[in-house]
């Protein structure tokens, strides 16, 4: 059921070690700094890295901009997430279709693309796993921009 007070956001990518934990850390920092109360978590559609901390490159790039991802642990999307979270925010189109396959149809409206919450020339936050550090910097740029957009929506 949709919560009456504190909204909840689940960020989702494939591995839950690069993009969605970065989104979790950035969004938490921005929400705290702007005084918006929101429950935040992240998860992956795949289960390759369960229990692992975020990728070292994600942590490094995030740390360089003041975000600490070190306490986040990878988990897989659970059936209960579709009931528990108000907003299920995916990084790319593949994440959206993987989520929609698992999610009861009446809850599909909760699923959105992260970059649909801001004005961006990109539609997706691209998978940086096989990219260099520049790919991780781009991911962080996009996540910061989309976090500002989503936070504005939650605050209004
Ligand atoms: P993420 O990146 O979905 O942003 O966490 C990936 C991490 C790991 C893998 C793929 C994407 N992998 O294939 O292990």
């Amino acid at each position: 059921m949709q919560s009456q007070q504190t909204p909840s956001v689940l960020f989702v990518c494939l591995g839950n070690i690069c993009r969605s934990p970065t989104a979790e850390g950035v969004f938490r920092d921005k929400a705290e700094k702007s005084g918006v109360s929101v429950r935040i978590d992240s998860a992956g559609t795949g289960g390759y890295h369960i229990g692992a901390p975020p990728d070292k490159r994600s942590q490094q790039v995030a740390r360089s901009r003041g975000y600490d991802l070190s306490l986040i642990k990878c988990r897989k999307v659970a059936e209960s997430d579709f009931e528990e979270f108000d907003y299920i925010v995916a990084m790319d189109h593949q994440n959206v279709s993987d989520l929609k396959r698992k999610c009861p149809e009446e809850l599909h409206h909760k699923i959105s693309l992260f970059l649909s919450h801001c004005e961006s020339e990109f539609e997706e936050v691209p998978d940086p796993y096989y990219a260099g550090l520049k790919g991780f910097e781009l991911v962080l740029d996009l996540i910061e921009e989309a976090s500002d957009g989503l936070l504005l929506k939650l605050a209004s």
Side-chain angles (χ1 to χ4, degrees):
M1 211 166 74
Q2 185 117 344
S3 58
Q4 294 296 304
Q5 289 156 0
T6 305
S8 53
V9 179
L10 179 70
F11 293 105
V12 176
C13 62
L14 171 60
N16 190 218
I17 57 166
C18 299
R19 293 166 292 174
S20 59
T22 301
E24 178 183 341
V26 168
F27 199 70
R28 178 167 291 121
D29 184 81
K30 286 180 177 288
E32 280 171 10
K33 284 183 175 148
S34 53
V36 176
S37 179
V38 54
R39 180 181 161 218
I40 303 159
D41 199 358
S42 66
T45 57
Y48 320 113
H49 303 276
I50 292 169
D55 188 284
K56 290 246 176 316
R57 298 163 295 176
S58 294
Q59 292 203 52
Q60 177 189 332
V61 169
R63 201 179 312 112
S64 75
R65 296 195 205 175
Y67 307 108
D68 178 14
L69 309 182
S70 63
L71 298 180
I72 298 173
K73 291 268 178 288
C74 172
R75 75 169 179 90
K76 196 173 175 184
V77 173
E79 296 276 324
S80 55
D81 288 329
F82 300 114
E83 287 287 344
E84 280 187 25
F85 287 87
D86 301 318
Y87 299 87
I88 299 171
V89 180
M91 300 297 138
D92 62 34
H93 289 292
Q94 185 63 52
N95 304 150
V96 169
S97 54
D98 290 342
L99 284 165
K100 284 190 172 168
R101 241 183 299 113
K102 292 183 177 173
C103 178
E105 191 131 359
E106 66 272 20
L107 300 177
H108 277 196
H109 64 276
K110 293 184 175 187
I111 300 170
S112 63
L113 270 177
F114 198 14
L115 295 185
S116 71
H117 298 283
C118 66
E119 302 284 332
S120 174
E121 59 182 306
F122 288 76
E123 277 189 21
E124 307 181 306
V125 181
D127 183 347
Y129 195 61
Y130 295 105
L133 276 182
K134 275 207 169 139
F136 285 82
E137 295 278 1
L138 171 63
V139 162
L140 191 45
D141 290 341
L142 295 171
I143 284 174
E144 287 187 316
E145 194 182 349
S147 293
D148 289 336
L150 181 56
L151 205 51
L152 269 180
K153 287 185 186 174
L154 292 189
S156 61

